[in-house]
Amino acid sequence: MRAVRFSRFGGPEVLEIVDLPDPHPGPGQVRIAVRAAGVNPSDWKKRRGLMDQELPQTLGYEASGVVDELGEGVRDVAVGDRVFGFSTEGAAQAELAVLSYWAPIPSALDFPGAAALPAAIETATRALDQLGVESGTRLLVNGASGGVGSAAVQLAAARGAQVIGTAGPANHAYLRSMGAEPVAYGEGLLERVRALAPDGVDRALDVAGSGVLPELIELAGGPEHVVTIADFAGAQEHGVVFSRGDTGRAVHVLGEIGALIESGCFTLPVARSYPLTEVAEAHRASENGHTRGKLVLLID
């Protein structure tokens, strides 16, 4: 099969499309013929050597496609079914991928739309669970217009939370359409949020990693009320929880998101799709950091 891989750390130019042996599912897993795979910031961070240090590495943790092989003990899905989910091996940007967690693709979604979901909804749900967001919670999301931020805003609103989201002015109408009160990020954030919430907020989620943890801590009344998914050093410095998947994933959301999509309570736009051969361009767009929604690779 063709797959994305890199054998040295560096810029997008180190990415290659190589031939690798076809994978096969183990017990409790399925293999899919991949139709689309999501692109996430963790991809370019791995490529730059900011995460795992082994070489070579494949890429991709989320994909959608058609089941073509079942692992031992799998009974709830059949060959030919359309599914989306997680490749825990990190090799979803390929023609074939083994999924350890999956769910049927909601009828309203195509393959690119389904591939955009897993990482964003799992990360957002995990962080909201850690924060204890529920009906009536006043939540501030820093970096609310990207993939994870958009998911967090809508999933929090679906729980009955009141959401304030930071974004550039061009994305304020977008945040309002998802049920959030927008504020501009940057200097003066504390004052702008207090104009909307004079008593501060109950919880804060940092998606952007833009160095605002001290402000979020002040607004939320303490570091125990703040979670970041993007600022590891800041979390250590300020005593904030850094949410990561190796402490347990909220995979339950894969089976729950369909009902929210069908009821019109959730949408995650695909900002742009690229053929597999243009994976380097997708990395450049992801690293630029100003994308509304998700970036997706299409596998023919």
Side-chain angles (χ1 to χ4, degrees):
M1 69 171 186
R2 294 184 304 156
V4 177
R5 191 178 72 175
F6 60 92
S7 298
R8 57 190 176 93
F9 298 119
E13 69 277 359
V14 305
L15 297 171
E16 302 174 294
I17 307 297
V18 299
D19 290 323
L20 295 177
D22 292 353
H24 297 283
Q29 298 178 320
V30 301
R31 189 180 76 178
I32 62 170
V34 179
R35 297 292 182 263
V39 176
N40 293 288
S42 60
D43 294 333
W44 59 259
K45 290 176 183 178
K46 289 179 68 175
R47 188 203 74 225
R48 289 173 54 185
L50 302 177
M51 296 176 67
D52 308 321
Q53 294 302 306
E54 69 270 13
L55 290 170
Q57 289 189 46
T58 54
L59 288 172
Y61 287 98
E62 58 182 349
S64 65
V66 177
V67 175
D68 76 344
E69 190 174 323
L70 304 179
E72 180 183 351
V74 174
R75 301 284 185 269
D76 60 347
V77 69
V79 170
D81 287 354
R82 299 188 335 140
V83 300
F84 71 109
F86 284 106
S87 164
T88 55
E89 290 84 0
Q93 293 173 12
E95 291 177 319
L96 298 170
V98 171
L99 302 185
S100 297
Y101 306 99
W102 66 88
I105 294 177
S107 59
L109 292 185
D110 56 12
F111 287 117
L117 291 175
I121 63 175
E122 187 281 325
T123 303
T125 299
R126 172 171 19 101
L128 296 178
D129 288 349
Q130 290 172 316
L131 285 166
V133 173
E134 58 187 11
S135 179
T137 300
R138 182 171 289 169
L139 173 70
L140 173 61
V141 179
N142 179 52
S145 62
V148 176
S150 297
V153 166
Q154 294 173 88
L155 292 170
R159 297 184 182 197
Q162 303 170 29
V163 186
I164 298 171
T166 74
N171 285 321
H172 283 192
Y174 173 62
L175 291 188
R176 289 191 185 95
S177 74
M178 295 189 297
E181 282 289 336
V183 295
Y185 55 73
E187 186 176 352
L189 175 65
L190 199 69
E191 292 72 25
R192 288 190 293 276
V193 173
R194 288 203 182 279
L196 295 174
D199 297 327
V201 297
D202 301 311
R203 302 289 187 270
L205 172 59
D206 173 35
V207 177
S210 51
V212 297
L213 288 182
E215 289 91 336
L216 301 188
I217 290 169
E218 183 172 346
L219 287 165
E224 69 275 14
H225 299 149
V226 180
V227 166
T228 180
I229 68 165
D231 188 355
F232 181 72
Q236 290 185 309
E237 179 181 355
H238 299 290
V240 166
V241 169
F242 181 82
S243 182
R244 55 193 305 165
D246 57 8
T247 58
R249 294 190 178 277
V251 293
H252 60 87
V253 73
L254 294 179
E256 299 166 355
I257 197 66
L260 290 175
I261 292 172
E262 299 293 349
S263 65
C265 295
F266 187 92
T267 182
L268 187 60
V270 174
R272 186 172 175 184
S273 58
Y274 301 81
L276 186 66
T277 53
E278 293 181 13
V279 62
E281 289 304 313
H283 271 234
R284 290 185 180 98
S286 178
E287 204 162 355
N288 184 47
H290 298 293
T291 301
R292 178 194 294 179
K294 285 297 294 285
L295 301 173
V296 172
L297 297 174
L298 303 179
I299 289 81
D300 185 357

